Amino acid sequence: MPGRRGARPVSARAAVILSGIVASVLLAVLVVVVLRQPFAPQSAAQAPTVTSAPVTVQPFDDARSVTVEVQFGQPVALRSPTAGTVTEITCAPGSTVSSGSGAMRVDGRAVLALHGATPWWRDLETGMLGADVDGLQAELRRLGHDVSADVGTFGPATQRALVAVLAGVGLPADDPIAGGAVTDTLWLPAPEAVVGSCDSALGARIVAGDNVITAAPPIAGARAFVDGPPLERTLLVDDLQLSLSADGSVARDQLAAMAATPSAIAAAAGGTPTLQAMTRLAQPVEAAAVPPGSISSDDGVSGCVLGDGTPLAVTILGSQLGHTFVAFDRAAPAAVALQAPDLATCD
């Protein structure tokens, strides 16, 4: 009988192939398992949730740009009282023509700038009465001259005072027509007039009544629109610092200086009733910086935060660089909650 045929042994090559298949299957299973697991770096998974922010206290001046509403009066033309050639004139927009000073020279003769309640309209002589005489005497008194002896009449005391003022700008004191000649005086509507534009120039030929200077319109009132608590503030218009009242109004005694600023002159010339300026608190205050989202408020001035776990009332002073600056009614907490509390909890 023939012998039984034995099992064929597995070759080395087949074993290697079989091992590779098994390894590939195991690797694929491992990849699937890994991909099905939620992935998070160990550091991120352990990071705590941030629920509060530290409070920092620092000086705060609430510097910001503001719009200023300006009420302009009417510009006034300053007219030459005489005819001739302009032989001297100093004029620049924004400069000031003051009563009692020399406005210019025509044909070498001085012309005096002089304020009066009524424009000059006649040469004055001894014994004359009228509103122009009253205005002249009032201005001479303001300039430091004693004209009380004349009591409303153009008399010797008034004439001497006027001659002295004219002599001060270069007119000879013994000039026979210097006593009360209207041709020597350029009328000003106020003790000081801010130059808006220069309408004549050196060497120009002019006649009596020609515009030589247009005075910038006076400012009757100005107000900066600033939100926030009613704290004392200052206003910076160009290089001029002005005082603001609690409602943002510029002090009345500073309006004339404001009218002389380049920004005001440009606004008046362009017919624009507003200009841009900077404002800041007159005195910086100690303020707490907190995240804007930590505050509850319904008016933008008073609010409520959750400080160290307690609802605390605050006054909102302003915002800068991503922070809201507040004043606490009591000592500032170390930290505030990022979630704003119910506003009613501070009542």
Side-chain angles (χ1 to χ4, degrees):
M1 292 180 63
R4 296 180 59 185
R5 182 177 297 173
R8 180 178 298 174
V10 179
S11 69
R13 180 180 180 186
V16 171
I17 293 174
L18 181 59
S19 298
I21 293 173
V22 172
S24 298
V25 172
L26 292 175
L27 179 60
V29 172
L30 179 61
V31 169
V32 171
V33 171
V34 169
L35 291 178
R36 290 175 62 89
Q37 300 299 313
F39 176 78
Q42 184 176 4
S43 59
Q46 295 176 350
T49 302
V50 177
T51 60
S52 64
V55 174
T56 58
V57 178
Q58 62 191 73
F60 177 67
D61 65 2
D62 195 22
R64 65 172 94 169
S65 176
V66 292
T67 297
V68 183
E69 185 178 82
V70 184
Q71 299 170 3
F72 288 106
Q74 293 298 316
V76 177
L78 307 184
R79 304 180 185 278
S80 172
T82 189
T85 299
V86 178
T87 52
E88 183 180 321
I89 187 170
T90 301
C91 181
S95 63
T96 300
V97 180
S98 300
S99 180
S101 67
M104 60 181 182
R105 288 180 179 270
V106 178
D107 292 341
R109 185 178 179 85
V111 174
L112 171 71
L114 196 65
H115 166 59
T118 299
W120 320 126
W121 57 277
R122 59 180 175 169
D123 289 345
L124 298 176
E125 297 177 357
T126 301
M128 283 185 171
L129 307 173
D132 52 350
V133 175
D134 294 339
L136 173 61
Q137 289 180 336
E139 183 60 10
L140 290 173
R141 284 193 296 269
R142 192 189 71 84
L143 292 172
H145 298 274
D146 183 6
V147 295
S148 57
D150 289 342
V151 193
T153 302
F154 188 83
T158 304
Q159 186 174 21
R160 286 193 300 271
L162 180 57
V163 168
V165 175
L166 287 165
V169 299
L171 195 69
D174 59 354
D175 192 308
I177 67 170
V182 70
T183 53
D184 288 321
T185 52
L186 181 149
W187 176 75
L188 293 182
E192 291 189 339
V194 177
V195 177
S197 64
C198 302
D199 306 320
S200 188
L202 189 67
R205 290 286 301 172
I206 58 174
V207 299
D210 279 355
N211 289 8
V212 291
I213 295 171
T214 298
I219 295 178
R223 182 183 177 190
F225 292 92
V226 187
D227 55 5
L231 299 175
E232 185 179 357
R233 307 183 71 90
T234 60
L235 186 73
L236 190 67
V237 180
D238 300 327
D239 294 327
L240 178 66
Q241 183 168 296
L242 305 165
S243 299
L244 294 181
S245 63
D247 68 352
S249 297
V250 177
R252 296 196 65 83
D253 62 353
Q254 297 181 337
L255 293 175
M258 182 179 177
T261 62
S263 290
I265 291 173
T272 305
T274 60
L275 55 86
Q276 295 299 308
M278 290 294 297
T279 181
R280 59 172 56 91
L281 295 178
Q283 294 293 333
V285 297
E286 290 294 311
V290 300
S294 66
I295 306 172
S296 296
S297 177
D298 57 7
D299 60 5
V301 176
S302 58
C304 183
V305 300
L306 193 62
D308 294 339
T310 302
L312 300 174
V314 295
T315 299
I316 301 172
L317 302 175
S319 299
Q320 286 181 1
L321 303 175
H323 291 89
T324 298
F325 290 87
V326 302
F328 286 90
D329 293 346
R330 55 186 184 181
V336 294
L338 296 180
Q339 181 66 40
D342 185 345
L343 188 60
T345 60
C346 280
D347 291 343

